[in-house]
């Protein structure tokens, strides 16, 4: 029984340290969020953040400008793309606790060099 | 995301149930229940499940006919379903562009072409209903702001040019305007809302649905199930099951994961199977179509699909082992997909064939530049260069090109009987563009049986299940063995509109 408790404790420790590390992926998040998980997890810690959570700080129009491409490739803008316009929820391509690929790569070979998973 | 293992997950859950007690299992199983004693969390006028062409057209039409409280529920985080990522090709007879180009077409002619591809098992009444109303559906897209290329295309299996294509060469050129139109009209749209089963009255009528809120596809977050009463009824517009390898292999064991898929990840089939549990008639489930124009060098529909659909009439498809043609490049989809899958090396491994087009002709399609730019297609200045890149026997290839160019000249393809009308004057000469071909599962002809009112028939009584309507790819039997290209969008939209009309009249 004791062994089980220790194993559980170790397991929890691993889990918590993993998520703290994950939050550190983006420096600007580290500065703003710190260790306040609720800053993003607005629907409870065990639930994914709402699709609006990221927009407390990030503005879709600004993001779309930042990632704009030339006229010929204008619809490859992940924040204003051909298929879903500006409506693609952030979590389709970005995750703080796990690596994600851009949804475009399901069908296309576009390069997004600055994409942070 | 493309390897959704629903059956696997069920088995796992069932195993868990034995160990942990049945109570834990219940929430994960999507099943319909009697509505007797159910606490309704919400009551709304019209429930539409799925936000593709069929669901969006139903939402607009219902609102136009006076519905005040229409809700579209979408399982995924984004709207548009599979409709948002296809080629955006729309066939209709008697269109403005046909009169402009002097094309002689009619409802009868379009139905005849589809019946031929259906190999005797298509549903003529449904095909006729769709063809008769296709122009209305096209008009709905014009009204919403969809824009189309200023030319018509004649796709494989069609006897005349009758296909419009959005200027973005994608269904999103229709779903985006329709979605905006829906919202403008006051239709409520909900994402991350997964259909979990019907709530059924004493006489087997559909009274409402169970919806899982805050659902994250492919993630381990359960969300919360709510019971929604649908006053006028439920329209199932949930699409096909092409992304569910287990289910498609249950119907056709050749459709292994070796054959890719062009569909959006959400095309997993639960809505359709739930209707079967309720008593709907399963039709033609084993007829699953693979697109012969897809490329193994990119995922999904990608860029090559539209490129090759446009270029097939004036191109040659070559088996790399022999250096020769192996099919009529504009035969129906099934014929071509089977011919491509048969292209294998001496060991039996897949050897994707190549489509060779003269650059002078291919460059007229907007995707050609992109195909080359994103390394899913190649440009060659000589046949030698081409042959060596793909390891094709040079002499055989040269002979084949000379022979084919004779057919371009004479207008008669002695090898495969291809209709050379669109190839007139388009000789295969350098420089060339080349893409690789390999079929991808694209469309499920099978589904639930409906009538021309978009009502779902019950398998035992033969009459419509009250309160239940279905439209689009989730329905079966309309096209028979093979669906002609560009005939799905009119079907989805017309049947979505029809479902709304029937519901408002009921």
């Amino acid at each position: 029984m004791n062994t089980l408790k220790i194993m559980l404790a170790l397991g929890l420790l691993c889990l918590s340290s993993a998520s703290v590390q994950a939050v550190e992926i983006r420096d600007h998040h580290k500065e703003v969020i710190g260790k306040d998980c609720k800053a993003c997890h607005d629907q409870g810690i065990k639930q994914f953040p709402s699709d609006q959570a990221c927009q407390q700080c990030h503005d879709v129009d600004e993001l779309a400008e930042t990632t704009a491409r030339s006229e010929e490739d204008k619809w490859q803008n992940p924040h204003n793309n051909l298929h879903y316009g500006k409506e693609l929820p952030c979590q389709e391509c970005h995750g703080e606790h796990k690596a994600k690929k851009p949804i475009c790569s399901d069908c296309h070979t576009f390069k997004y060099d600055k994409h942070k998973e | 995301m493309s390897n959704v293992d629903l059956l696997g997950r069920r088995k796992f859950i069932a195993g868990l149930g034995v160990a942990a007690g049945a109570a834990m299992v219940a929430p994960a199983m999507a099943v319909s229940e009697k509505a007797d004693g159910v606490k309704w969390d919400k009551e709304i006028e019209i429930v539409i499940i799925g936000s593709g062409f069929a669901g969006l057209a139903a939402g607009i039409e219902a609102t136009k006919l006076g519905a005040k409280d229409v809700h579209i529920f979408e399982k995924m985080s984004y709207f548009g379903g599979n409709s948002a990522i296809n080629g955006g090709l729309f066939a209709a007879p008697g269109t403005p562009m046909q009169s402009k180009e002097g094309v002689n077409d009619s409802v009868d002619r379009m139905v005849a072409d589809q019946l031929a591809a259906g190999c005797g098992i298509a549903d003529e009444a449904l095909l006729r209903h769709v063809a008769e109303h296709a122009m209305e559906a096209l008009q709905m897209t014009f009204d919403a702001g969809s824009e189309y290329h200023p030319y018509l295309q004649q796709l494989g299996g069609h006897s005349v040019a009758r296909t419009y294509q959005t200027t973005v060469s994608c269904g999103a050129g229709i779903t985006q305007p329709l979605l905006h139109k829906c919202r403008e009209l006051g239709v409520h749209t909900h994402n991350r809302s997964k259909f979990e089963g019907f709530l059924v009255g004493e006489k087997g009528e559909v009274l409402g649905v169970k919806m899982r809120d805050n659902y994250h596809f492919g993630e381990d977050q359960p969300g919360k199930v709510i019971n929604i009463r649908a006053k006028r009824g439920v329209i199932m517009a949930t699409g096909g099951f092409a992304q569910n390898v287990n289910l498609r292999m249950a119907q056709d064991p050749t459709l292994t994961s070796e054959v890719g898929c062009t569909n959006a990840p959400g095309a997993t089939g639960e809505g359709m199977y739930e209707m079967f549990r309720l008593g709907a008639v399963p039709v033609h489930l084993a007829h699953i179509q693979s697109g012969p124009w897809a490329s193994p060098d990119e995922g999904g529909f990608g860029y090559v699909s539209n490129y090759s659909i446009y270029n097939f009439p004036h191109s040659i498809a070559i088996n790399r082992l022999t250096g020769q043609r192996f099919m009529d490049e504009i035969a129906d989809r099934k014929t071509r997909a089977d011919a491509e899958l048969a292209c294998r090396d001496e060991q039996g491994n897949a050897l994707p064939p190549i489509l060779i087009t003269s650059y002078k002709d291919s460059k007229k399609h907007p995707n050609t530049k992109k195909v080359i730019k994103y390394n899913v297609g190649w440009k060659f200045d000589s046949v030698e260069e081409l042959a060596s890149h793909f390891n094709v026997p040079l002499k055989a290839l040269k002979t084949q090109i000379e022979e084919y160019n004779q057919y371009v000249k004479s207008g008669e393809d002695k090898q495969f009987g291809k209709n050379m009308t669109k190839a007139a004057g388009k000789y295969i000469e350098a420089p060339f563009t080349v893409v690789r071909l390999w079929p991808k599962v694209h469309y499920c002809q099978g589904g639930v049986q409906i009538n021309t009112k978009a009502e779902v028939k019950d398998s035992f009584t033969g009459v419509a299940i009250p309160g239940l309507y279905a439209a689009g790819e989730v329905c079966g039997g309309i096209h028979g063995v093979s669906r002609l290209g560009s005939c799905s969008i009119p079907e989805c939209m017309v049947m979505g509109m029809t479902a709304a009309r029937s519901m408002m009249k009921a």
Side-chain angles (χ1 to χ4, degrees), chain B residues 266-302:
Chain B
T268 47
E270 308 96 291
M272 180 186 75
Y273 276 83
E274 202 54 45
M275 284 193 275
F276 294 152
R277 280 178 173 161
L278 203 63
V281 186
V283 200
H284 298 175
L285 289 180
H287 292 296
I288 300 173
Q289 179 180 84
S290 300
W293 23 249
S295 160
D297 297 305
E298 60 184 352
F301 196 77

Side-chain angles (χ1 to χ4, degrees), chain A residues 43 46-49 51 69-70 72-73 75-76 81-85 87-89 91-92 98 100 103 105-111, chain B residues 1 77-79 84-85 168 170 172 176 179-180 183 191-192 214 216 219 221 265 297-303 369-370 373-374 376:
Chain A
Q43 309 189 108
K46 288 182 180 171
Q47 301 279 310
F48 285 108
D51 286 336
R69 300 203 158 194
S70 67
E72 187 185 298
D73 296 334
W75 286 120
Q76 290 170 21
N81 61 82
L82 172 70
H83 304 286
Y84 311 109
E87 286 195 32
L88 207 53
Q91 292 172 74
E92 278 301 321
K98 74 174 183 188
K100 285 186 175 176
I103 187 179
S105 65
D106 280 356
C107 304
H108 299 289
T109 54
F110 310 149
K111 296 272 182 290
Chain B
M1 292 232 265
S77 70
Y78 41 81
F79 293 95
I85 62 163
V168 289
C170 177
Q176 286 278 306
L179 180 63
H180 294 144
R183 289 179 178 152
N191 65 339
R192 299 200 192 278
N214 196 13
H216 286 244
E219 303 279 1
Q221 174 172 293
D297 297 305
E298 60 184 352
F301 196 77
Y303 276 136
K369 261 167 93 178
K370 290 177 175 161
K373 182 171 173 181
Y374 295 106
V376 290

Side-chain angles (χ1 to χ4, degrees), chain B residues 173-237:
Chain B
I174 297 172
T175 55
Q176 286 278 306
L178 291 187
L179 180 63
H180 294 144
K181 177 59 87 178
C182 273
R183 289 179 178 152
E184 198 182 300
L185 293 170
V187 174
H188 303 271
T189 53
H190 309 267
N191 65 339
R192 299 200 192 278
S193 293
K194 184 176 183 292
F195 168 75
E196 287 282 321
F198 298 104
L199 290 159
V200 184
E202 282 306 308
K203 293 169 190 159
E205 75 275 28
V206 169
L207 292 178
V209 289
K210 292 187 287 181
M211 295 297 305
R212 192 175 285 278
D213 248 357
N214 196 13
Y215 170 79
H216 286 244
F217 181 82
E219 303 279 1
D220 187 19
Q221 174 172 293
K224 187 184 165 220
V225 176
I226 58 169
N227 299 322
I228 301 176
R229 172 90 171 89
K231 281 186 278 184
R232 285 191 195 266
V234 176
I235 300 175
M236 295 295 282

Side-chain angles (χ1 to χ4, degrees), chain B residues 426-439:
Chain B
K426 294 178 176 171
Y427 296 98
I428 302 293
E429 11 179 74
F432 310 100
T433 48
V434 178
V435 293
R436 298 202 303 161
L437 300 170
W438 197 248

Side-chain angles (χ1 to χ4, degrees), chain B residues 20 33 36 70 75 121 149 198 211 226-227 229 278 282 312 362 388 432 479 494-495:
Chain B
E33 288 169 17
D36 193 29
V70 182
K75 171 174 76 174
I121 61 164
H149 289 309
F198 298 104
M211 295 297 305
I226 58 169
N227 299 322
R229 172 90 171 89
L278 203 63
F312 267 121
S362 76
S388 112
F432 310 100
H479 303 280
V494 168
M495 294 319 295

